[in-house]
């Protein structure tokens, strides 16, 4: 075996800027990461007041290739 691989799936909601920054932080982390799926979308959800939400949704799947030494 070449080592352990951890697959992580996550969902996060927030502003476009905060989600983009999060992805960039992961990309530049000290660990070897492979992005297998990234979906950044803006769901068409209306708030109680009738306004369209400014929230974005991030669906992310990554392989963490170096987490055990």
């Amino acid at each position: 075996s070449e080592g352990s691989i951890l697959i992580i799936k996550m969902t996060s909601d927030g502003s476009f800027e905060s989600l983009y920054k999060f992805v960039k932080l992961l990309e530049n982390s000290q660990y070897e990461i492979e992005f297998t799926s990234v979906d950044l979308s803006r769901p068409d959800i209306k708030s109680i007041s009738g306004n369209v939400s400014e929230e974005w949704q991030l669906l992310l799947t990554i392989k963490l290739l170096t987490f055990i030494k």
Side-chain angles (χ1 to χ4, degrees), residues 40-65:
L40 185 58
S41 61
R42 186 169 159 218
D44 189 18
I45 300 172
K46 292 189 178 181
S47 66
I48 295 171
S49 65
N51 297 327
V52 175
S53 173
E54 294 297 321
E55 291 272 306
W56 286 72
Q57 184 175 65
L58 174 67
L59 305 172
L60 183 66
T61 305
I62 60 174
K63 286 184 185 176
L64 186 53
L65 305 172

Side-chain angles (χ1 to χ4, degrees), residues 21-36:
K21 183 178 180 180
F22 176 68
V23 171
K24 293 300 286 180
L25 287 171
L26 285 175
E27 187 177 46
N28 294 314
S29 73
Q30 64 183 356
Y31 302 102
E32 187 178 353
I33 294 175
E34 178 183 319
F35 290 89
T36 57

